[in-house]
Amino acid sequence: MNESFELRYDPIKKDYLYLHRTTTFNMGTFYHQHEAYELYLLLRGNVNFYIENSCFRLEPGDLLVIHPDEMHRSFSLDDSEYERITINLQKSYLNSLSTSSTNLSDCFDNRPKGKGNIVHLDESRRKQFLQIANHLEDVIASDAYGSDVLANSYIAQLLVLTNAVFKNADFTPRDIMPELVRKTMDYIESNLSQNISLEHLSAAFYLNSTYISRQFKKHTGLTLRSYILERRISLAKSYLREGFSITEACFQSGFSDYANFIRSFTKIAGISPGKFAKKRANLP
């Protein structure tokens, strides 16, 4: 699988991006993040969905909410038709649709990272979601007067429905992530600021380093080196959001070479650390 840095960063340049896709071939993404929130509804297919250090076998009607900080991956298990709706939403756009009494980003923000991402829509809720989504598809394809206003209203309706479902959810999907992969992710997360090597992992788990590496690549689509780099860049972003200097963010997130940090951050995030910090400082 191509591990180009540019492909692992998926920029959403519009207020929102709506996609309703059907594929009939085995496909899968590798672990990645968006600089936007994501709604995902599975309509058909045999799919495993990975979020942070968990993996779930999805059922048609499963609705997922994904925060920009959450790494995730979908993987189609066979060649059956794989149909899904995804909607990516910029935070500023969500804020513009929200009111003082209705926070539409609540379902994305107010839960632990990598937890509580999935609910299952019953038949009634699924029909309601699809009816609104069909209206949204129609107005997106139209240049008629008021189509942009209608699109905003339909997206707001989908978000109200999603938040209502998540607030009342009583659904616990079964986590099928292999224990070795989960432990490897946990080890990396706990040691990001330290030197991490295959030798360290092998010693920690009493397993052959090649076996660990192959199992990790099988389930994440990324090499261990690429995954560690992704997590360090994500940590650096968090430090920059908190007001740390670029130098502090560099070394606190586990980089030992400043020039390499600048280069890696820019390739993966699609923006330099300085511009990222400035952009975040200007957000409301």
Side-chain angles (χ1 to χ4, degrees), residues 110-281:
N110 291 330
R111 54 180 177 75
K113 185 178 181 181
K115 306 295 181 184
N117 299 79
I118 305 175
V119 295
H120 183 76
L121 300 182
D122 60 26
E123 185 176 355
S124 174
R125 290 293 201 184
R126 200 182 316 180
K127 286 181 178 178
Q128 186 180 0
F129 191 102
L130 288 175
Q131 184 179 44
I132 300 169
N134 288 337
H135 289 318
L136 177 58
E137 287 187 37
D138 289 342
V139 298
I140 288 175
S142 171
D143 59 0
Y145 173 79
S147 58
D148 56 339
V149 175
L150 289 173
N152 291 339
S153 71
Y154 292 133
I155 290 173
Q157 289 178 52
L158 288 174
L159 289 166
V160 169
L161 173 60
T162 299
N163 275 279
V165 171
F166 271 86
K167 285 181 184 299
N168 298 302
D170 183 19
F171 179 71
T172 305
R174 188 167 70 92
D175 187 351
I176 59 172
M177 178 69 90
E179 185 178 8
L180 174 60
V181 180
R182 187 197 323 279
K183 284 184 175 180
T184 302
M185 289 179 165
D186 290 342
Y187 180 92
I188 290 170
E189 201 68 23
S190 298
N191 293 277
L192 278 176
S193 61
Q194 309 299 317
N195 180 35
I196 304 172
S197 67
L198 278 172
E199 290 73 22
H200 291 137
L201 290 167
S202 180
F205 301 138
Y206 303 100
L207 290 170
N208 179 276
S209 60
T210 301
Y211 177 75
I212 296 172
S213 182
R214 287 177 177 171
Q215 288 298 306
F216 193 86
K217 177 72 178 290
K218 175 182 177 181
H219 287 277
T220 68
L222 295 174
T223 63
L224 279 162
R225 178 183 177 278
S226 295
Y227 180 81
I228 291 167
L229 187 58
E230 293 275 355
R231 299 309 291 175
R232 283 178 170 156
I233 295 300
S234 180
L235 181 59
K237 286 181 181 179
S238 298
Y239 285 133
L240 291 172
R241 290 190 193 105
E242 293 172 15
F244 282 60
S245 71
I246 296 173
T247 302
E248 289 172 327
C250 166
F251 294 110
Q252 290 282 357
S253 55
F255 287 88
S256 58
D257 184 291
Y258 185 79
N260 179 50
F261 168 69
I262 300 295
R263 183 168 56 252
S264 299
F265 189 105
T266 304
K267 285 182 177 179
I268 291 176
I271 186 174
S272 71
K275 289 182 179 179
F276 179 88
K278 185 176 180 180
K279 178 181 176 183
R280 290 292 165 182

Side-chain angles (χ1 to χ4, degrees), residues 40-86:
Y40 170 106
L41 176 66
L42 179 67
L43 299 175
R44 283 182 294 165
N46 297 314
V47 178
N48 278 352
F49 206 100
Y50 297 78
I51 305 175
E52 291 291 314
N53 63 357
S54 297
C55 176
F56 307 100
R57 177 70 182 273
L58 297 187
E59 298 289 339
D62 283 350
L63 177 65
L64 286 70
V65 292
I66 304 166
H67 188 277
D69 287 340
E70 292 174 321
M71 293 189 76
H72 57 284
R73 178 193 192 206
S74 63
F75 188 82
S76 182
L77 299 169
D78 55 34
D79 293 330
S80 60
E81 287 197 331
Y82 172 29
E83 182 181 6
R84 67 279 191 200
I85 290 172
T86 59

Side-chain angles (χ1 to χ4, degrees), residues 15-56:
D15 284 339
Y16 65 86
L17 176 63
Y18 176 93
L19 293 171
H20 184 171
R21 293 173 288 182
T22 302
T23 51
T24 54
F25 56 90
N26 189 291
M27 61 82 66
T29 59
F30 36 70
Y31 263 76
H32 63 283
Q33 293 170 275
H34 307 281
E35 283 292 327
Y37 296 102
E38 180 172 338
L39 278 180
Y40 170 106
L41 176 66
L42 179 67
L43 299 175
R44 283 182 294 165
N46 297 314
V47 178
N48 278 352
F49 206 100
Y50 297 78
I51 305 175
E52 291 291 314
N53 63 357
S54 297
C55 176
F56 307 100

